[in-house]
Amino acid sequence: MRRISTCVFLAMMGGAAFADDFQSSYIKFSLPSGWTCNIEHTEFVCDPPHLVDQPRSAIMILAAKIAGPDDTLTAYVEHLNAVAKAKGPGAMIQAPKYSLINGVNWVDCTIEGSEVKNYKTRYLAVAKNGIAILYTFSAHNDYFDKLAGSAVLAVNTLQTLDDWKK
């Protein structure tokens, strides 16, 4: 059954085509084809097509809050370094760096096992115009490299919205 589920999932994922734009009051980006987003508590959770009652192989989460004094790029780098150190040797896949996305500097980092065991998580964080935004893409280690292309394309379409206060 697991093999069939995997084959169905990979067939559904296809290429890295985009279906729709996802937009909240603070951010906008293009969703990979077949992905859907729903609000869960205070964050938006986006996931790929998957079979009912089957575990998700990947997930994107967007969260935001009013920026406070600790919401700086430097503080985000320090926090991500501390998370990786706490997880132990080999957890840091990509050390925090600054990535320019649509004219905005984001902290960008990938850590293994930081959110869920056997999953890699890519973090993007920014504080801009009074709002702090965290975008994460997590995928099971077996799928991360296969799905990373879709995630990278989605990340490259990220736009922070300046009129979020309205």
Side-chain angles (χ1 to χ4, degrees), residues 6-112:
T6 301
C7 292
V8 170
F9 171 76
L10 291 174
M12 288 189 295
M13 284 309 295
F18 290 106
D20 295 305
D21 281 344
F22 170 81
Q23 183 169 339
S24 71
S25 60
Y26 54 87
I27 199 165
K28 177 180 176 181
F29 69 98
S30 295
L31 278 172
S33 188
W35 285 64
T36 57
C37 295
N38 295 296
I39 191 160
E40 291 185 15
H41 305 288
T42 59
E43 55 267 344
F44 290 95
V45 177
C46 308
D47 53 15
H50 60 281
L51 300 174
V52 176
D53 296 329
Q54 292 294 313
R56 296 175 183 143
S57 57
I59 194 168
M60 285 187 248
I61 299 176
L62 294 134
K65 68 179 187 91
I66 303 297
D70 295 331
D71 289 303
T72 67
L73 297 182
T74 302
Y76 298 154
V77 167
E78 290 171 1
H79 175 74
L80 290 166
N81 279 324
V83 168
K85 183 177 180 182
K87 290 296 172 181
M92 183 69 77
I93 304 298
Q94 175 198 295
K97 65 177 186 174
Y98 297 115
S99 292
L100 189 64
I101 302 170
N102 290 322
V104 177
N105 254 333
W106 293 73
V107 171
D108 187 352
C109 176
T110 303
I111 302 172
E112 184 172 343

Side-chain angles (χ1 to χ4, degrees), residues 140-162:
H140 189 277
N141 291 346
D142 292 344
Y143 297 101
F144 190 86
D145 291 338
K146 294 172 186 136
L147 299 177
S150 293
V152 167
L153 291 174
V155 164
N156 288 336
T157 66
L158 275 173
Q159 298 175 31
T160 55
L161 304 177
D162 293 337

